[in-house]
Amino acid sequence: MDADALLAAVQRTVPEAVAVAAGPGRYLLVPAAAVDGLMLRLRDETELAFASLMDLTGWDLLGMPGAEPGIAVGWWLESPRHRHQVAIRVHLPREAPAVASVAALWPVAGWWEREVYDLLGVHFSGHPDLRRLLLPEDWEGHPLRKDYAYPVAYRGVAHARDGQRFAAPPAAKPKPGGA
Amino acid sequence: MGGTDPDLPDGVHLTAVDDLFAWGKEHSLFYLLFATACCGIELMQTGGPRYDVDRLGMIPRATPRQADLMIIAGTITHKMASRVRTLWEQMTEPRWVVSMGACANSGGPFSKASYSVLNGVDKVIPVDVYIPGCPPRPEALIDGVMVLRERVRRYRTLGLRDRDPQVIAGADDDFGTHPGKA
């Protein structure tokens, strides 16, 4: 199935899906509310058969050229049977971002969603065990957000050395050419 | 340490008890197998056949309760810091700590840029010897151990003498005595 046919197949389920050119390929930008039904269909429909979730990650769009401030989450799917791939992406608001979990469809997503939750604060609804993966349970904030402020201390241990205090990193500057 | 008296039978040796204890401790510095980053590779190499710290009486121990020396080999994160502290508390006195490499000394390359790295293990446990390097070569680690052995030799088990001030291995001779440079 070529890229256009793939897009058409996805659009039968999610009419709002749009293909966005990115590098040599394209990704499909879909509304967050459509993720739950779309992922099940991508995995189980015979002509799609995306049996493998290759990657799941998220990133902060704050300050990125041409993007509204928000949190992006991306899924990269592969069909070993048909040897085709698709990249799905959603843009979520920075305040309380939430999207459906796919851990029930691809168990490998469990830890990836925990990582995205840990570092970006995205809530994956339906995840069986949504806890922080890398940082301690009582850590404050989500460090991969671009407006994250460094901790002054953690459990009484100062973060800075010898009285130095770490300032928050400067706000991201829009790059030239950005919107 | 001590000396022989011609009036004593053969094999009898007079010394202070503290000196005997210090001699024993100095020559059997069992170290805790604990490594968190690339310094651990150098630590393993130091224990390997080429550098062979076993010849100094340094045998790796898998539990802190049998270890005299904790070599902090690698980056310590805030999350790991409480585990480091717990391991150190489980060691029996007298216990010794060598901070190996830039990360354990001060956070090293992560000290300004990372939110999660502890900027120096001496924020959570007292350190006896700091070894600079990123990572230090096995020679540097052994050099630091020789500095520590000097410290162990001066430790008074029964006396009330405080520990010596902290020293930096490989620095100028102003920083305490060094058996190889004296």
Side-chain angles (χ1 to χ4, degrees):
Chain A
M1 187 179 289
D2 64 12
D4 291 325
L6 203 56
L7 174 62
V10 171
Q11 279 176 332
R12 282 203 299 278
T13 305
V14 185
E16 307 95 321
V18 291
V20 182
R26 293 188 289 183
Y27 63 86
L28 303 179
L29 188 63
V30 302
V35 166
D36 202 8
L38 172 65
M39 292 297 179
L40 180 65
R41 202 174 151 240
L42 287 173
R43 190 190 69 166
D44 288 349
E45 195 154 297
T46 313
E47 62 172 350
L48 299 171
F50 287 103
S52 172
L53 177 64
M54 304 297 286
D55 197 9
L56 187 165
T57 190
W59 60 99
D60 193 347
L61 297 171
L62 187 68
M64 281 179 84
E68 295 283 317
I71 305 288
V73 176
W75 297 259
W76 285 263
L77 305 176
E78 158 119 2
S79 169
R81 185 192 301 168
H82 301 304
R83 300 196 179 178
H84 57 201
Q85 298 91 26
V86 68
I88 309 288
R89 190 180 294 186
V90 297
H91 288 174
L92 305 170
R94 301 189 89 248
E95 294 298 319
V99 70
S101 169
V102 297
L105 302 177
W106 296 279
V108 68
W111 277 23
W112 288 338
E113 288 177 353
R114 281 179 62 187
E115 184 190 17
V116 173
Y117 164 73
D118 188 357
L119 301 179
L120 284 162
V122 176
H123 185 82
F124 289 90
S125 51
H127 190 288
D129 185 25
L130 195 64
R131 289 178 292 123
R132 286 185 183 271
L133 180 66
L134 303 167
L135 291 165
E137 285 286 305
D138 57 351
W139 195 266
E140 288 179 9
H142 302 284
L144 286 193
R145 290 203 174 205
K146 289 180 183 173
D147 56 355
Y148 175 73
Y150 277 33
V152 175
Y154 173 70
R155 288 193 185 175
V157 178
H159 185 63
R161 184 158 183 87
D162 296 336
Q164 303 165 354
R165 284 172 68 93
F166 282 72
K173 292 179 203 147
K175 287 177 187 148
Chain B
M1 77 179 210
T4 50
D5 188 324
D7 295 337
L8 291 172
D10 282 350
V12 175
H13 195 80
L14 281 179
T15 184
V17 175
D18 264 345
D19 282 340
L20 180 66
F21 283 179
W23 174 82
K25 290 182 202 310
E26 182 198 342
H27 291 85
S28 64
L29 276 173
F30 290 6
Y31 63 99
L32 179 64
L33 266 184
F34 178 75
T36 49
C38 38
C39 278
I41 303 294
E42 300 295 317
L43 175 63
M44 291 173 224
Q45 177 66 13
T46 310
R50 192 179 186 91
Y51 293 93
D52 189 23
V53 288
D54 283 20
R55 69 199 150 91
L56 304 176
M58 294 181 66
I59 314 292
R61 306 307 297 177
T63 163
R65 298 184 193 281
Q66 298 170 351
D68 308 298
L69 167 63
M70 190 174 188
I71 300 173
I72 307 294
T75 317
I76 302 296
T77 60
H78 282 295
K79 192 177 182 179
M80 195 69 190
S82 60
R83 279 80 162 171
V84 170
R85 178 79 195 187
T86 303
L87 288 169
W88 178 79
E89 284 171 353
Q90 288 177 351
M91 291 166 65
T92 51
E93 287 273 13
R95 56 198 160 189
W96 311 90
V97 176
V98 167
S99 169
M100 178 183 181
C103 288
N105 291 344
S106 69
F110 307 105
S111 60
K112 293 280 186 191
S114 174
Y115 50 85
S116 60
V117 170
L118 185 72
N119 288 304
V121 75
D122 52 6
K123 283 171 177 281
V124 290
I125 56 175
V127 173
D128 291 291
V129 176
Y130 298 84
I131 302 172
C134 188
R137 285 184 56 83
E139 293 93 329
L141 177 58
I142 293 173
D143 188 54
V145 167
M146 299 315 279
V147 173
L148 179 71
R149 282 167 61 122
E150 183 71 23
R151 236 166 123 71
V152 174
R153 195 179 307 147
R154 290 203 297 270
Y155 181 80
R156 302 290 89 178
T157 305
L158 304 179
L160 295 173
R161 180 176 160 181
D162 289 335
R163 285 192 175 194
D164 296 331
Q166 292 168 335
V167 289
I168 300 174
D172 292 333
D173 287 347
D174 298 337
F175 290 94
T177 57
H178 187 294
K181 292 177 181 172

